[in-house]
Amino acid sequence: TKLLTCLGLYIQDLPSDVKKILVASDLKGVSQKNLAEQLEIPYPTLRAKLQRGRKKIKKMFERDCYLALGKRGEVLDCRCKC
């Protein structure tokens, strides 16, 4: 879908360390604690980078799309502003 295409492009725009963390945690389901151990970085650092990456992606979507969000913030509908 268009949403997944945009998400893939937005992820590619992230710094490589943030991209690696976001893909492993949010797309592949690796636990954050295990990921921190694998990458040999402190857990709070990993969490901060993950949150930064998520915020950047959210801003990209808000810039480029009209989003309809559910009560928990999940995307229900996404339409391009172009």
Side-chain angles (χ1 to χ4, degrees):
T1 66
K2 202 171 210 177
L3 180 67
L4 292 177
T5 301
C6 290
L7 179 59
L9 294 172
Y10 296 157
I11 289 172
Q12 292 305 313
D13 284 345
L14 296 173
S16 61
D17 61 331
V18 176
K19 179 182 359 177
K20 185 176 191 176
I21 291 168
L22 191 132
V23 168
S25 176
D26 290 354
L27 300 181
K28 294 183 179 177
V30 178
S31 81
Q32 293 176 18
K33 288 188 178 184
N34 287 344
L35 189 55
E37 289 175 10
Q38 290 173 16
L39 298 175
E40 299 178 348
I41 61 174
Y43 176 62
T45 301
L46 180 128
R47 288 189 55 188
K49 288 183 179 200
L50 183 58
Q51 289 302 318
R52 243 187 335 267
R54 288 173 177 165
K55 284 181 184 179
K56 285 183 181 182
I57 288 176
K58 182 180 178 187
K59 285 182 181 182
M60 290 182 225
F61 270 112
E62 289 171 342
R63 177 193 69 206
D64 298 340
C65 305
Y66 295 108
L67 297 175
L69 303 176
K71 291 180 182 179
R72 299 175 133 196
E74 72 275 16
V75 177
L76 301 175
D77 190 27
C78 176
R79 295 176 193 211
C80 183
K81 288 183 179 179
C82 52

